[in-house]
Amino acid sequence: MSARQQLYLYLDRLEKRLRTGAAVRGAALLTSVALVATVILVLLANFFAFSGGSIISARIILILALGAAAAMGIALPLYGLNTRRTARKAETAFPDFNQRLLTFAERDGDPQDPFMELLAADTLQVARAAQPAQLISDAQLFTALTAGVASLAVLVWIIAAGPGFLGAGA
C-alpha cells in the first residue's frame, strides 16, 4: 500500500471519529433541548390552564426548538465536515503536522505528482503518533452519550409517569 493510500485511510479514520463525535454531541443536544423545552412549555401551558391556544403554541415552539437543535447540533456539523476541514482540525490538535496534512488534503489532485507521495510518506511519520482517539477522546464521547441518554430517560419518565400536571402536560 502506498503512502498516499495509507494517508487517505488515516484521514478517513479521522473524519469518521469527527463524524461520530458530532453525531453523539448533536444527539445529546437534541435530547437535552427536548427535555428542557418540554418542561418549560408545560409550565407555561399550565400557567394558561392548558388552554387550546397555549397547547398549540407550545407544540409549535417545541417543534421549532427541536428542529433548530437538530439543525445546529447534527446537520450543520456533519454537513460541513469534509477532508479539508478534518485536516484543519487535525492540524489544530496536532501541531507537529506543520501544515503537511492540510497541504496533502488540499493539493492531492494529480495521481502522478511525485511530490504528493513524498509528502504523504513524511506526514505518515507524524500521523503514527497522532491517533484519531486523541482528536475526540473516548471520555468526550462517553460524556456526550451519557448526557443524551440521561436527558432521554428523564424525558421518557416525565411523559410516562411524571408528577402531577407535568406528566399530563408532557
Side-chain angles (χ1 to χ4, degrees), residues 49-66:
F50 291 103
S51 65
S54 69
I55 291 174
I56 289 173
S57 298
R59 287 179 181 165
I60 291 170
I61 292 170
L62 182 61
I63 289 170
L64 291 174
L66 293 176

Side-chain angles (χ1 to χ4, degrees), residues 74-123:
I74 299 172
L76 285 177
L78 291 178
Y79 176 75
L81 195 59
N82 57 25
T83 304
R84 286 183 180 158
R85 189 155 302 181
T86 299
R88 280 191 197 108
K89 288 186 184 238
E91 290 279 355
T92 302
F94 310 115
D96 290 343
F97 278 121
N98 291 325
Q99 302 298 316
R100 285 179 241 157
L101 189 61
L102 187 58
T103 300
F104 180 82
E106 289 178 345
R107 294 190 57 200
D108 193 38
D110 182 13
Q112 302 300 326
D113 187 0
F115 171 73
M116 296 311 291
E117 187 67 32
L118 293 172
L119 178 63
D122 189 39
T123 306

Side-chain angles (χ1 to χ4, degrees), residues 4-23:
R4 265 181 152 165
Q5 292 169 329
Q6 289 177 14
L7 195 54
Y8 279 131
L9 289 175
Y10 175 75
L11 278 168
D12 189 50
R13 287 195 327 264
L14 285 176
E15 189 170 342
K16 284 179 183 175
R17 187 70 174 198
L18 288 173
R19 284 188 185 283
T20 301

